[in-house]
């Protein structure tokens, strides 16, 4: 069984909490461990990722990049994108989702230096997607509300955020502490977006991305 699989494979209940990694205050967080609940996955086949977007993912390497849908299902990613979020690539493609990863994967609590801010932004994004994608949003909200008390509490705040870009601080097990700029490129039609993490050439952060790329090449070597 793969580590940190979402609900059908393994509900994330490390440290006694479905929020995975434990409540920062040290309080116990109780979760729904009902057997047999499946992860939402994708209700239907997503719109195919355009060849041009796949080419973009390849051309921006070593910058980690993803093609996401309205609810942050990962429709495509370059190798650095999967490596930046340890364990995401171990999940079946149909359940790879950056919001699910944030709340249910053990690695996320350590990976995101400001996990609370990342978590709030994830939930606020879902609220912004609700008017145009009510069915997939409702399915993901039901799943994460059952698995994570923290998600459920954030969802009840009804905060809305249309994210355009910014910075994210990481504590990565391979490349260490880095802060990367992130940009979101919206593709006209279909609700697909490209999420790109990058750093200026010649900086320590860019060197770290080169190291991440080298690690993906070594991992794929025979």
């Amino acid at each position: 069984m793969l580590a940190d699989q979402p609900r059908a494979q393994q509900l994330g209940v490390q440290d006694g909490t479905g929020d995975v990694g434990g409540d920062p205050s040290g309080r116990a967080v109780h979760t729904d461990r009902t057997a047999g609940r499946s992860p939402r996955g994708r209700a239907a086949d997503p719109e195919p990722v355009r060849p041009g977007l796949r080419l973009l993912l390849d051309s921006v390497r070593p910058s980690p990049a993803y093609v996401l849908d309205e609810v942050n299902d990962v429709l495509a990613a370059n190798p650095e994108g999967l490596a930046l979020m340890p364990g995401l690539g171990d999940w079946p493609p149909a359940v790879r989702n950056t919001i699910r990863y944030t709340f249910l994967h053990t690695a996320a609590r350590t990976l995101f230096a400001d996990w609370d801010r990342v978590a709030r932004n994830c939930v606020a994004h879902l609220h912004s997607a609700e008017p145009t994608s009510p069915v997939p949003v409702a399915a993901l909200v039901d799943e994460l509300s059952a698995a994570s008390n923290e998600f459920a509490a954030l969802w009840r705040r009804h905060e809305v955020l249309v994210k355009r870009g910014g910075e994210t601080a990481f504590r990565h097990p391979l490349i260490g502490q880095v802060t990367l700029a992130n940009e979101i490129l919206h593709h006209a039609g279909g609700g697909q977006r490209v999420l790109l993490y990058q750093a200026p050439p010649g900086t320590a952060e860019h060197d770290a991305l080169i190291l991440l790329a080298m690690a993906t090449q070594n991992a794929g070597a025979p």
Side-chain angles (χ1 to χ4, degrees):
M1 179 171 62
L2 294 175
D4 300 311
Q5 289 284 21
R7 297 182 71 79
Q9 292 80 17
Q10 175 184 350
L11 179 59
V13 291
Q14 291 76 7
D15 297 7
T17 165
D19 298 315
V20 189
D23 186 291
S25 67
R27 296 187 300 271
V29 180
H30 300 286
T31 62
D32 175 4
R33 302 192 187 190
T34 304
R37 289 185 184 268
S38 297
R40 176 184 59 81
R42 295 175 189 151
D45 291 336
E47 179 184 348
V49 176
R50 290 181 55 198
L53 293 183
R54 293 190 180 275
L55 179 61
L56 177 62
L57 297 186
D58 200 41
S59 65
V60 299
R61 298 180 66 187
S63 295
Y66 316 79
V67 178
L68 307 176
D69 69 4
E70 299 94 328
V71 296
N72 282 28
D73 281 343
V74 178
L75 306 180
N78 61 18
E80 292 82 3
L82 294 179
L84 183 63
M85 298 188 186
L88 180 64
D90 294 334
W91 285 357
V95 295
R96 292 175 189 167
N97 177 291
T98 62
I99 299 176
R100 178 183 286 120
Y101 179 89
T102 299
F103 283 92
L104 298 188
H105 202 290
T106 50
R109 288 277 187 171
T110 301
L111 177 68
F112 297 116
D114 190 352
W115 183 91
D116 289 337
R117 182 180 67 85
V118 172
R120 289 196 307 271
N121 287 348
C122 284
V123 177
H125 165 73
L126 277 184
H127 273 296
S128 74
E130 196 171 16
T132 56
S133 305
V135 174
V137 168
L140 184 57
V141 168
D142 286 348
E143 176 197 340
L144 296 183
S145 294
S148 166
N149 285 350
E150 280 190 275
F151 176 89
L154 289 171
W155 182 253
R156 290 192 295 269
R157 293 184 183 181
H158 297 283
E159 296 175 348
V160 177
L161 173 69
V162 179
K163 189 168 176 56
R164 302 297 184 189
E167 290 187 339
T168 304
F170 295 90
R171 295 178 300 209
H172 195 275
L174 176 63
I175 61 176
Q177 297 190 23
V178 293
T179 298
L180 301 175
N182 60 73
E183 295 292 339
I184 298 176
L185 311 176
H186 291 264
H187 166 57
Q192 295 180 359
R193 299 165 292 135
V194 174
L195 170 61
L196 170 68
Y197 291 100
Q198 57 185 340
T203 63
E205 287 78 9
H206 191 264
D207 290 345
L209 293 181
I210 293 174
L211 176 61
L212 189 67
M214 292 173 60
T216 67
Q217 294 170 358
N218 292 338

